[in-house]
């Protein structure tokens, strides 16, 4: 029968598995990466047969605003093939993100304490959800307003014939910008939990953050005030939410000061 010394710690405060040699770590990482690539390939195989339909759906916000009789064009011979292909690959990566993050989680989880696992997994899941919400916000809210603005200010006598490849590059950039911007609460909470800053310090820097949000909105969006504001205002609101949840996280009881890893 095993005995425990008075100062021994609960199993909950030790990593789930003992440390592995470096070679085993590398092999485990390779297997996880292969599973991530396989997940993307499987999603791509499912999505690709519908690539043309996906592109039509993706271009709907712009096509709905074009004057009657006008349509999108392809200025490159290969664009009708490669534009839907590129979109299908990006959608496959988006669809595989939960699997990718699960593999990353499975790789790092054995070395985490129980209290770290309780925080890490919800943060990972929330970050995925927020990224999807950012992309959805761009498609359903930002695109109709931005494209409506661009199609309305053109000079008289100019026929608008958007190129399918240029349009795809634009919308993917917007998806990425809004997806990353919606991660601000996660970044704020992690900064507070790591001790790099405090909610009070972040609140004191609010005027600089607001200005920074508009500067980032100007750099990541087209040169119009509508799209800049539609990115900057949500970033500011999400920053405030990050401070709020960071304060709640600070009120949770901290782990023991003497907690040591792996013993």
């Amino acid at each position: 029968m095993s005995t425990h010394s008075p100062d021994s710690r609960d199993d909950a405060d030790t990593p789930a598995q003992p440390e592995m040699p470096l070679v085993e770590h590398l092999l485990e990482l390779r297997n996880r990466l292969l599973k991530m690539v396989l997940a993307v390939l499987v999603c791509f195989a499912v999505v690709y047969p519908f690539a043309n339909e996906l592109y039509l759906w993706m271009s709907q916000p712009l096509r709905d605003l074009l004057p009657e009789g006008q349509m999108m064009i392809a200025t490159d011979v290969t664009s009708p093939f490669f534009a839907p292909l590129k979109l299908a690959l990006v959608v496959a990566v988006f669809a595989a993100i939960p699997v990718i993050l699960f593999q990353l989680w499975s790789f790092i989880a054995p070395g985490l304490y129980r209290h770290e696992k309780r925080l890490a997994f919800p943060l990972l899941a929330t970050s995925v959800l927020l990224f999807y919400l950012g992309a959805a916000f761009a498609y359903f809210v930002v695109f109709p307003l931005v494209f409506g603005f661009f199609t309305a200010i053109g000079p008289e006598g100019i026929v608008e014939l958007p190129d399918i490849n240029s349009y795809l590059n634009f919308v993917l950039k917007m998806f990425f910008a809004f997806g990353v911007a919606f991660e601000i609460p996660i970044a704020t909470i992690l900064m507070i939990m790591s001790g790099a800053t405090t909610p009070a310090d972040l609140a004191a820097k609010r005027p600089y953050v607001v200005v920074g949000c508009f500067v980032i909105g100007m750099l990541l969006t087209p040169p119009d005030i509508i799209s800049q504001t539609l990115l900057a205002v949500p970033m500011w609101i999400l920053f405030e939410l990050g401070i709020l949840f960071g304060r709640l996280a600070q009120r949770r009881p901290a782990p023991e000061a003497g907690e040591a890893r792996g013993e």
Side-chain angles (χ1 to χ4, degrees), residues 101-133:
L101 289 181
F102 175 77
Q103 294 301 325
L104 291 174
W105 167 256
S106 300
F107 179 72
I108 66 173
L112 298 178
Y113 299 113
R114 179 172 295 178
H115 76 275
E116 292 173 332
K117 290 181 181 181
R118 286 199 300 264
L119 293 173
F121 189 76
L123 288 176
L124 281 174
T126 304
S127 66
V128 175
L129 178 61
L130 287 173
F131 189 88
Y132 288 157
L133 286 176

PDB file of all heavy atoms in Angstrom, residues 101-133:
ATOM      1  N   LEU A 101      -7.902  22.043 -33.964  1.00  0.00           N
ATOM      2  CA  LEU A 101      -7.714  22.481 -32.584  1.00  0.00           C
ATOM      3  C   LEU A 101      -7.806  21.316 -31.605  1.00  0.00           C
ATOM      4  O   LEU A 101      -7.115  21.301 -30.589  1.00  0.00           O
ATOM      5  CB  LEU A 101      -8.743  23.555 -32.232  1.00  0.00           C
ATOM      6  CG  LEU A 101      -8.521  24.912 -32.900  1.00  0.00           C
ATOM      7  CD1 LEU A 101      -9.590  25.897 -32.461  1.00  0.00           C
ATOM      8  CD2 LEU A 101      -7.145  25.470 -32.568  1.00  0.00           C
ATOM      9  N   PHE A 102      -8.646  20.331 -31.926  1.00  0.00           N
ATOM     10  CA  PHE A 102      -8.733  19.149 -31.052  1.00  0.00           C
ATOM     11  C   PHE A 102      -7.403  18.392 -31.053  1.00  0.00           C
ATOM     12  O   PHE A 102      -6.947  17.909 -30.002  1.00  0.00           O
ATOM     13  CB  PHE A 102      -9.862  18.229 -31.504  1.00  0.00           C
ATOM     14  CG  PHE A 102      -9.930  16.937 -30.726  1.00  0.00           C
ATOM     15  CD1 PHE A 102     -10.471  16.921 -29.453  1.00  0.00           C
ATOM     16  CD2 PHE A 102      -9.430  15.760 -31.258  1.00  0.00           C
ATOM     17  CE1 PHE A 102     -10.523  15.733 -28.719  1.00  0.00           C
ATOM     18  CE2 PHE A 102      -9.477  14.574 -30.535  1.00  0.00           C
ATOM     19  CZ  PHE A 102     -10.023  14.566 -29.261  1.00  0.00           C
ATOM     20  N   GLN A 103      -6.758  18.277 -32.216  1.00  0.00           N
ATOM     21  CA  GLN A 103      -5.468  17.601 -32.285  1.00  0.00           C
ATOM     22  C   GLN A 103      -4.410  18.386 -31.516  1.00  0.00           C
ATOM     23  O   GLN A 103      -3.571  17.796 -30.809  1.00  0.00           O
ATOM     24  CB  GLN A 103      -5.043  17.417 -33.744  1.00  0.00           C
ATOM     25  CG  GLN A 103      -5.939  16.480 -34.540  1.00  0.00           C
ATOM     26  CD  GLN A 103      -6.011  15.084 -33.959  1.00  0.00           C
ATOM     27  OE1 GLN A 103      -5.027  14.574 -33.427  1.00  0.00           O
ATOM     28  NE2 GLN A 103      -7.179  14.464 -34.057  1.00  0.00           N
ATOM     29  N   LEU A 104      -4.426  19.704 -31.642  1.00  0.00           N
ATOM     30  CA  LEU A 104      -3.494  20.518 -30.857  1.00  0.00           C
ATOM     31  C   LEU A 104      -3.752  20.357 -29.366  1.00  0.00           C
ATOM     32  O   LEU A 104      -2.819  20.238 -28.562  1.00  0.00           O
ATOM     33  CB  LEU A 104      -3.618  21.988 -31.265  1.00  0.00           C
ATOM     34  CG  LEU A 104      -3.117  22.350 -32.665  1.00  0.00           C
ATOM     35  CD1 LEU A 104      -3.438  23.812 -32.963  1.00  0.00           C
ATOM     36  CD2 LEU A 104      -1.617  22.107 -32.785  1.00  0.00           C
ATOM     37  N   TRP A 105      -5.032  20.344 -29.012  1.00  0.00           N
ATOM     38  CA  TRP A 105      -5.395  20.158 -27.608  1.00  0.00           C
ATOM     39  C   TRP A 105      -4.929  18.801 -27.105  1.00  0.00           C
ATOM     40  O   TRP A 105      -4.371  18.703 -26.004  1.00  0.00           O
ATOM     41  CB  TRP A 105      -6.899  20.300 -27.451  1.00  0.00           C
ATOM     42  CG  TRP A 105      -7.427  19.820 -26.131  1.00  0.00           C
ATOM     43  CD1 TRP A 105      -8.081  18.668 -25.872  1.00  0.00           C
ATOM     44  CD2 TRP A 105      -7.330  20.495 -24.880  1.00  0.00           C
ATOM     45  NE1 TRP A 105      -8.392  18.575 -24.546  1.00  0.00           N
ATOM     46  CE2 TRP A 105      -7.941  19.684 -23.911  1.00  0.00           C
ATOM     47  CE3 TRP A 105      -6.779  21.711 -24.497  1.00  0.00           C
ATOM     48  CZ2 TRP A 105      -8.019  20.052 -22.582  1.00  0.00           C
ATOM     49  CZ3 TRP A 105      -6.853  22.077 -23.151  1.00  0.00           C
ATOM     50  CH2 TRP A 105      -7.467  21.247 -22.218  1.00  0.00           C
ATOM     51  N   SER A 106      -5.110  17.756 -27.884  1.00  0.00           N
ATOM     52  CA  SER A 106      -4.690  16.417 -27.470  1.00  0.00           C
ATOM     53  C   SER A 106      -3.176  16.328 -27.302  1.00  0.00           C
ATOM     54  O   SER A 106      -2.683  15.530 -26.500  1.00  0.00           O
ATOM     55  CB  SER A 106      -5.153  15.379 -28.499  1.00  0.00           C
ATOM     56  OG  SER A 106      -6.553  15.383 -28.617  1.00  0.00           O
ATOM     57  N   PHE A 107      -2.452  17.152 -28.060  1.00  0.00           N
ATOM     58  CA  PHE A 107      -0.990  17.125 -27.975  1.00  0.00           C
ATOM     59  C   PHE A 107      -0.494  17.817 -26.708  1.00  0.00           C
ATOM     60  O   PHE A 107       0.443  17.342 -26.060  1.00  0.00           O
ATOM     61  CB  PHE A 107      -0.384  17.787 -29.217  1.00  0.00           C
ATOM     62  CG  PHE A 107       1.114  17.821 -29.220  1.00  0.00           C
ATOM     63  CD1 PHE A 107       1.846  16.660 -29.418  1.00  0.00           C
ATOM     64  CD2 PHE A 107       1.798  19.012 -29.013  1.00  0.00           C
ATOM     65  CE1 PHE A 107       3.233  16.686 -29.416  1.00  0.00           C
ATOM     66  CE2 PHE A 107       3.178  19.046 -29.003  1.00  0.00           C
ATOM     67  CZ  PHE A 107       3.897  17.880 -29.216  1.00  0.00           C
ATOM     68  N   ILE A 108      -1.113  18.934 -26.351  1.00  0.00           N
ATOM     69  CA  ILE A 108      -0.609  19.702 -25.207  1.00  0.00           C
ATOM     70  C   ILE A 108      -1.297  19.343 -23.895  1.00  0.00           C
ATOM     71  O   ILE A 108      -0.748  19.598 -22.817  1.00  0.00           O
ATOM     72  CB  ILE A 108      -0.744  21.214 -25.452  1.00  0.00           C
ATOM     73  CG1 ILE A 108      -2.224  21.612 -25.515  1.00  0.00           C
ATOM     74  CG2 ILE A 108      -0.018  21.623 -26.717  1.00  0.00           C
ATOM     75  CD1 ILE A 108      -2.448  23.110 -25.594  1.00  0.00           C
ATOM     76  N   ALA A 109      -2.480  18.725 -23.948  1.00  0.00           N
ATOM     77  CA  ALA A 109      -3.266  18.485 -22.733  1.00  0.00           C
ATOM     78  C   ALA A 109      -2.548  17.623 -21.700  1.00  0.00           C
ATOM     79  O   ALA A 109      -2.659  17.889 -20.497  1.00  0.00           O
ATOM     80  CB  ALA A 109      -4.618  17.874 -23.094  1.00  0.00           C
ATOM     81  N   PRO A 110      -1.813  16.548 -22.094  1.00  0.00           N
ATOM     82  CA  PRO A 110      -1.175  15.722 -21.059  1.00  0.00           C
ATOM     83  C   PRO A 110      -0.195  16.487 -20.174  1.00  0.00           C
ATOM     84  O   PRO A 110       0.067  16.071 -19.047  1.00  0.00           O
ATOM     85  CB  PRO A 110      -0.441  14.650 -21.880  1.00  0.00           C
ATOM     86  CG  PRO A 110      -1.215  14.552 -23.143  1.00  0.00           C
ATOM     87  CD  PRO A 110      -1.660  15.955 -23.436  1.00  0.00           C
ATOM     88  N   GLY A 111       0.342  17.593 -20.635  1.00  0.00           N
ATOM     89  CA  GLY A 111       1.281  18.357 -19.833  1.00  0.00           C
ATOM     90  C   GLY A 111       0.660  19.475 -19.032  1.00  0.00           C
ATOM     91  O   GLY A 111       1.387  20.258 -18.407  1.00  0.00           O
ATOM     92  N   LEU A 112      -0.668  19.559 -19.036  1.00  0.00           N
ATOM     93  CA  LEU A 112      -1.345  20.638 -18.322  1.00  0.00           C
ATOM     94  C   LEU A 112      -1.889  20.158 -16.984  1.00  0.00           C
ATOM     95  O   LEU A 112      -2.228  18.984 -16.821  1.00  0.00           O
ATOM     96  CB  LEU A 112      -2.506  21.186 -19.168  1.00  0.00           C
ATOM     97  CG  LEU A 112      -2.160  21.806 -20.521  1.00  0.00           C
ATOM     98  CD1 LEU A 112      -3.437  22.240 -21.223  1.00  0.00           C
ATOM     99  CD2 LEU A 112      -1.208  22.979 -20.360  1.00  0.00           C
ATOM    100  N   TYR A 113      -1.966  21.077 -16.029  1.00  0.00           N
ATOM    101  CA  TYR A 113      -2.636  20.788 -14.779  1.00  0.00           C
ATOM    102  C   TYR A 113      -4.154  20.831 -14.991  1.00  0.00           C
ATOM    103  O   TYR A 113      -4.634  21.375 -15.983  1.00  0.00           O
ATOM    104  CB  TYR A 113      -2.241  21.805 -13.701  1.00  0.00           C
ATOM    105  CG  TYR A 113      -0.772  21.813 -13.387  1.00  0.00           C
ATOM    106  CD1 TYR A 113       0.016  22.923 -13.703  1.00  0.00           C
ATOM    107  CD2 TYR A 113      -0.165  20.719 -12.783  1.00  0.00           C
ATOM    108  CE1 TYR A 113       1.372  22.942 -13.421  1.00  0.00           C
ATOM    109  CE2 TYR A 113       1.180  20.724 -12.498  1.00  0.00           C
ATOM    110  CZ  TYR A 113       1.948  21.832 -12.820  1.00  0.00           C
ATOM    111  OH  TYR A 113       3.289  21.839 -12.541  1.00  0.00           O
ATOM    112  N   ARG A 114      -4.856  20.272 -14.025  1.00  0.00           N
ATOM    113  CA  ARG A 114      -6.307  20.214 -14.172  1.00  0.00           C
ATOM    114  C   ARG A 114      -6.920  21.603 -14.250  1.00  0.00           C
ATOM    115  O   ARG A 114      -7.807  21.848 -15.062  1.00  0.00           O
ATOM    116  CB  ARG A 114      -6.932  19.430 -13.021  1.00  0.00           C
ATOM    117  CG  ARG A 114      -8.451  19.348 -13.110  1.00  0.00           C
ATOM    118  CD  ARG A 114      -9.034  18.420 -12.077  1.00  0.00           C
ATOM    119  NE  ARG A 114      -8.612  17.039 -12.302  1.00  0.00           N
ATOM    120  CZ  ARG A 114      -8.961  16.024 -11.515  1.00  0.00           C
ATOM    121  NH1 ARG A 114      -9.730  16.243 -10.467  1.00  0.00           N
ATOM    122  NH2 ARG A 114      -8.558  14.804 -11.788  1.00  0.00           N
ATOM    123  N   HIS A 115      -6.448  22.547 -13.439  1.00  0.00           N
ATOM    124  CA  HIS A 115      -7.021  23.896 -13.486  1.00  0.00           C
ATOM    125  C   HIS A 115      -6.697  24.573 -14.812  1.00  0.00           C
ATOM    126  O   HIS A 115      -7.461  25.397 -15.310  1.00  0.00           O
ATOM    127  CB  HIS A 115      -6.523  24.738 -12.307  1.00  0.00           C
ATOM    128  CG  HIS A 115      -5.129  25.236 -12.446  1.00  0.00           C
ATOM    129  ND1 HIS A 115      -4.032  24.481 -12.088  1.00  0.00           N
ATOM    130  CD2 HIS A 115      -4.636  26.413 -12.935  1.00  0.00           C
ATOM    131  CE1 HIS A 115      -2.935  25.168 -12.331  1.00  0.00           C
ATOM    132  NE2 HIS A 115      -3.269  26.345 -12.849  1.00  0.00           N
ATOM    133  N   GLU A 116      -5.549  24.232 -15.429  1.00  0.00           N
ATOM    134  CA  GLU A 116      -5.219  24.780 -16.743  1.00  0.00           C
ATOM    135  C   GLU A 116      -6.127  24.193 -17.822  1.00  0.00           C
ATOM    136  O   GLU A 116      -6.528  24.889 -18.751  1.00  0.00           O
ATOM    137  CB  GLU A 116      -3.753  24.513 -17.071  1.00  0.00           C
ATOM    138  CG  GLU A 116      -2.784  25.272 -16.194  1.00  0.00           C
ATOM    139  CD  GLU A 116      -1.340  24.873 -16.427  1.00  0.00           C
ATOM    140  OE1 GLU A 116      -1.099  23.721 -16.821  1.00  0.00           O
ATOM    141  OE2 GLU A 116      -0.457  25.716 -16.205  1.00  0.00           O
ATOM    142  N   LYS A 117      -6.426  22.901 -17.695  1.00  0.00           N
ATOM    143  CA  LYS A 117      -7.331  22.279 -18.667  1.00  0.00           C
ATOM    144  C   LYS A 117      -8.725  22.890 -18.597  1.00  0.00           C
ATOM    145  O   LYS A 117      -9.371  23.096 -19.627  1.00  0.00           O
ATOM    146  CB  LYS A 117      -7.423  20.772 -18.409  1.00  0.00           C
ATOM    147  CG  LYS A 117      -6.164  19.992 -18.733  1.00  0.00           C
ATOM    148  CD  LYS A 117      -6.385  18.515 -18.455  1.00  0.00           C
ATOM    149  CE  LYS A 117      -5.146  17.708 -18.751  1.00  0.00           C
ATOM    150  NZ  LYS A 117      -5.344  16.263 -18.504  1.00  0.00           N
ATOM    151  N   ARG A 118      -9.181  23.181 -17.383  1.00  0.00           N
ATOM    152  CA  ARG A 118     -10.513  23.766 -17.244  1.00  0.00           C
ATOM    153  C   ARG A 118     -10.614  25.103 -17.951  1.00  0.00           C
ATOM    154  O   ARG A 118     -11.678  25.481 -18.429  1.00  0.00           O
ATOM    155  CB  ARG A 118     -10.865  23.931 -15.750  1.00  0.00           C
ATOM    156  CG  ARG A 118     -11.199  22.639 -15.037  1.00  0.00           C
ATOM    157  CD  ARG A 118     -11.962  22.913 -13.764  1.00  0.00           C
ATOM    158  NE  ARG A 118     -11.189  23.745 -12.862  1.00  0.00           N
ATOM    159  CZ  ARG A 118     -10.441  23.266 -11.868  1.00  0.00           C
ATOM    160  NH1 ARG A 118     -10.372  21.971 -11.658  1.00  0.00           N
ATOM    161  NH2 ARG A 118      -9.769  24.082 -11.085  1.00  0.00           N
ATOM    162  N   LEU A 119      -9.495  25.831 -18.021  1.00  0.00           N
ATOM    163  CA  LEU A 119      -9.506  27.131 -18.690  1.00  0.00           C
ATOM    164  C   LEU A 119      -9.170  27.029 -20.169  1.00  0.00           C
ATOM    165  O   LEU A 119      -9.747  27.722 -21.000  1.00  0.00           O
ATOM    166  CB  LEU A 119      -8.507  28.072 -18.004  1.00  0.00           C
ATOM    167  CG  LEU A 119      -8.849  28.498 -16.578  1.00  0.00           C
ATOM    168  CD1 LEU A 119      -7.694  29.278 -15.975  1.00  0.00           C
ATOM    169  CD2 LEU A 119     -10.120  29.326 -16.549  1.00  0.00           C
ATOM    170  N   ALA A 120      -8.216  26.157 -20.511  1.00  0.00           N
ATOM    171  CA  ALA A 120      -7.707  26.114 -21.887  1.00  0.00           C
ATOM    172  C   ALA A 120      -8.762  25.637 -22.868  1.00  0.00           C
ATOM    173  O   ALA A 120      -8.938  26.218 -23.947  1.00  0.00           O
ATOM    174  CB  ALA A 120      -6.469  25.218 -21.955  1.00  0.00           C
ATOM    175  N   PHE A 121      -9.475  24.579 -22.535  1.00  0.00           N
ATOM    176  CA  PHE A 121     -10.432  24.028 -23.497  1.00  0.00           C
ATOM    177  C   PHE A 121     -11.580  24.995 -23.782  1.00  0.00           C
ATOM    178  O   PHE A 121     -11.923  25.216 -24.948  1.00  0.00           O
ATOM    179  CB  PHE A 121     -10.969  22.684 -23.013  1.00  0.00           C
ATOM    180  CG  PHE A 121     -11.785  21.971 -24.049  1.00  0.00           C
ATOM    181  CD1 PHE A 121     -11.177  21.325 -25.107  1.00  0.00           C
ATOM    182  CD2 PHE A 121     -13.177  21.961 -23.980  1.00  0.00           C
ATOM    183  CE1 PHE A 121     -11.920  20.673 -26.079  1.00  0.00           C
ATOM    184  CE2 PHE A 121     -13.922  21.324 -24.939  1.00  0.00           C
ATOM    185  CZ  PHE A 121     -13.293  20.670 -25.990  1.00  0.00           C
ATOM    186  N   PRO A 122     -12.202  25.620 -22.762  1.00  0.00           N
ATOM    187  CA  PRO A 122     -13.233  26.623 -23.087  1.00  0.00           C
ATOM    188  C   PRO A 122     -12.699  27.781 -23.912  1.00  0.00           C
ATOM    189  O   PRO A 122     -13.401  28.297 -24.793  1.00  0.00           O
ATOM    190  CB  PRO A 122     -13.713  27.092 -21.705  1.00  0.00           C
ATOM    191  CG  PRO A 122     -13.400  25.972 -20.786  1.00  0.00           C
ATOM    192  CD  PRO A 122     -12.141  25.375 -21.307  1.00  0.00           C
ATOM    193  N   LEU A 123     -11.454  28.212 -23.667  1.00  0.00           N
ATOM    194  CA  LEU A 123     -10.892  29.293 -24.452  1.00  0.00           C
ATOM    195  C   LEU A 123     -10.698  28.880 -25.911  1.00  0.00           C
ATOM    196  O   LEU A 123     -10.959  29.653 -26.834  1.00  0.00           O
ATOM    197  CB  LEU A 123      -9.557  29.749 -23.850  1.00  0.00           C
ATOM    198  CG  LEU A 123      -9.637  30.537 -22.538  1.00  0.00           C
ATOM    199  CD1 LEU A 123      -8.249  30.832 -22.001  1.00  0.00           C
ATOM    200  CD2 LEU A 123     -10.416  31.830 -22.741  1.00  0.00           C
ATOM    201  N   LEU A 124     -10.241  27.639 -26.133  1.00  0.00           N
ATOM    202  CA  LEU A 124     -10.083  27.158 -27.504  1.00  0.00           C
ATOM    203  C   LEU A 124     -11.431  27.093 -28.215  1.00  0.00           C
ATOM    204  O   LEU A 124     -11.568  27.549 -29.356  1.00  0.00           O
ATOM    205  CB  LEU A 124      -9.425  25.770 -27.496  1.00  0.00           C
ATOM    206  CG  LEU A 124      -7.916  25.712 -27.306  1.00  0.00           C
ATOM    207  CD1 LEU A 124      -7.460  24.271 -27.166  1.00  0.00           C
ATOM    208  CD2 LEU A 124      -7.203  26.380 -28.460  1.00  0.00           C
ATOM    209  N   ALA A 125     -12.419  26.525 -27.535  1.00  0.00           N
ATOM    210  CA  ALA A 125     -13.740  26.407 -28.157  1.00  0.00           C
ATOM    211  C   ALA A 125     -14.345  27.773 -28.437  1.00  0.00           C
ATOM    212  O   ALA A 125     -14.939  28.008 -29.501  1.00  0.00           O
ATOM    213  CB  ALA A 125     -14.669  25.586 -27.249  1.00  0.00           C
ATOM    214  N   THR A 126     -14.173  28.696 -27.491  1.00  0.00           N
ATOM    215  CA  THR A 126     -14.721  30.042 -27.677  1.00  0.00           C
ATOM    216  C   THR A 126     -14.016  30.779 -28.807  1.00  0.00           C
ATOM    217  O   THR A 126     -14.644  31.526 -29.560  1.00  0.00           O
ATOM    218  CB  THR A 126     -14.597  30.844 -26.383  1.00  0.00           C
ATOM    219  OG1 THR A 126     -15.235  30.124 -25.322  1.00  0.00           O
ATOM    220  CG2 THR A 126     -15.268  32.202 -26.516  1.00  0.00           C
ATOM    221  N   SER A 127     -12.707  30.561 -28.948  1.00  0.00           N
ATOM    222  CA  SER A 127     -11.972  31.226 -30.025  1.00  0.00           C
ATOM    223  C   SER A 127     -12.463  30.770 -31.386  1.00  0.00           C
ATOM    224  O   SER A 127     -12.566  31.574 -32.322  1.00  0.00           O
ATOM    225  CB  SER A 127     -10.479  30.961 -29.878  1.00  0.00           C
ATOM    226  OG  SER A 127     -10.173  29.591 -30.066  1.00  0.00           O
ATOM    227  N   VAL A 128     -12.778  29.477 -31.533  1.00  0.00           N
ATOM    228  CA  VAL A 128     -13.328  28.973 -32.799  1.00  0.00           C
ATOM    229  C   VAL A 128     -14.672  29.625 -33.085  1.00  0.00           C
ATOM    230  O   VAL A 128     -14.939  30.095 -34.201  1.00  0.00           O
ATOM    231  CB  VAL A 128     -13.465  27.439 -32.757  1.00  0.00           C
ATOM    232  CG1 VAL A 128     -14.140  26.922 -34.027  1.00  0.00           C
ATOM    233  CG2 VAL A 128     -12.104  26.785 -32.608  1.00  0.00           C
ATOM    234  N   LEU A 129     -15.533  29.647 -32.072  1.00  0.00           N
ATOM    235  CA  LEU A 129     -16.856  30.238 -32.244  1.00  0.00           C
ATOM    236  C   LEU A 129     -16.754  31.711 -32.616  1.00  0.00           C
ATOM    237  O   LEU A 129     -17.469  32.196 -33.514  1.00  0.00           O
ATOM    238  CB  LEU A 129     -17.669  30.058 -30.963  1.00  0.00           C
ATOM    239  CG  LEU A 129     -19.079  30.668 -30.957  1.00  0.00           C
ATOM    240  CD1 LEU A 129     -19.933  30.030 -32.045  1.00  0.00           C
ATOM    241  CD2 LEU A 129     -19.732  30.493 -29.596  1.00  0.00           C
ATOM    242  N   LEU A 130     -15.872  32.438 -31.962  1.00  0.00           N
ATOM    243  CA  LEU A 130     -15.727  33.868 -32.245  1.00  0.00           C
ATOM    244  C   LEU A 130     -15.194  34.102 -33.656  1.00  0.00           C
ATOM    245  O   LEU A 130     -15.604  35.047 -34.341  1.00  0.00           O
ATOM    246  CB  LEU A 130     -14.792  34.519 -31.219  1.00  0.00           C
ATOM    247  CG  LEU A 130     -15.363  34.713 -29.817  1.00  0.00           C
ATOM    248  CD1 LEU A 130     -14.297  35.213 -28.853  1.00  0.00           C
ATOM    249  CD2 LEU A 130     -16.543  35.671 -29.834  1.00  0.00           C
ATOM    250  N   PHE A 131     -14.286  33.245 -34.116  1.00  0.00           N
ATOM    251  CA  PHE A 131     -13.775  33.395 -35.478  1.00  0.00           C
ATOM    252  C   PHE A 131     -14.903  33.192 -36.489  1.00  0.00           C
ATOM    253  O   PHE A 131     -15.041  33.963 -37.448  1.00  0.00           O
ATOM    254  CB  PHE A 131     -12.653  32.393 -35.730  1.00  0.00           C
ATOM    255  CG  PHE A 131     -11.934  32.613 -37.035  1.00  0.00           C
ATOM    256  CD1 PHE A 131     -10.857  33.472 -37.109  1.00  0.00           C
ATOM    257  CD2 PHE A 131     -12.348  31.979 -38.196  1.00  0.00           C
ATOM    258  CE1 PHE A 131     -10.193  33.691 -38.314  1.00  0.00           C
ATOM    259  CE2 PHE A 131     -11.703  32.192 -39.396  1.00  0.00           C
ATOM    260  CZ  PHE A 131     -10.617  33.044 -39.456  1.00  0.00           C
ATOM    261  N   TYR A 132     -15.711  32.166 -36.280  1.00  0.00           N
ATOM    262  CA  TYR A 132     -16.857  31.936 -37.170  1.00  0.00           C
ATOM    263  C   TYR A 132     -17.846  33.101 -37.115  1.00  0.00           C
ATOM    264  O   TYR A 132     -18.396  33.510 -38.144  1.00  0.00           O
ATOM    265  CB  TYR A 132     -17.565  30.635 -36.788  1.00  0.00           C
ATOM    266  CG  TYR A 132     -16.809  29.377 -37.145  1.00  0.00           C
ATOM    267  CD1 TYR A 132     -17.055  28.187 -36.470  1.00  0.00           C
ATOM    268  CD2 TYR A 132     -15.856  29.366 -38.152  1.00  0.00           C
ATOM    269  CE1 TYR A 132     -16.374  27.023 -36.802  1.00  0.00           C
ATOM    270  CE2 TYR A 132     -15.176  28.210 -38.484  1.00  0.00           C
ATOM    271  CZ  TYR A 132     -15.435  27.045 -37.804  1.00  0.00           C
ATOM    272  OH  TYR A 132     -14.761  25.890 -38.129  1.00  0.00           O
ATOM    273  N   LEU A 133     -18.076  33.634 -35.913  1.00  0.00           N
ATOM    274  CA  LEU A 133     -18.986  34.768 -35.779  1.00  0.00           C
ATOM    275  C   LEU A 133     -18.447  35.992 -36.521  1.00  0.00           C
ATOM    276  O   LEU A 133     -19.213  36.747 -37.124  1.00  0.00           O
ATOM    277  CB  LEU A 133     -19.207  35.097 -34.306  1.00  0.00           C
ATOM    278  CG  LEU A 133     -20.094  34.146 -33.513  1.00  0.00           C
ATOM    279  CD1 LEU A 133     -20.142  34.549 -32.042  1.00  0.00           C
ATOM    280  CD2 LEU A 133     -21.505  34.101 -34.087  1.00  0.00           C
TER     281      LEU A 133
END
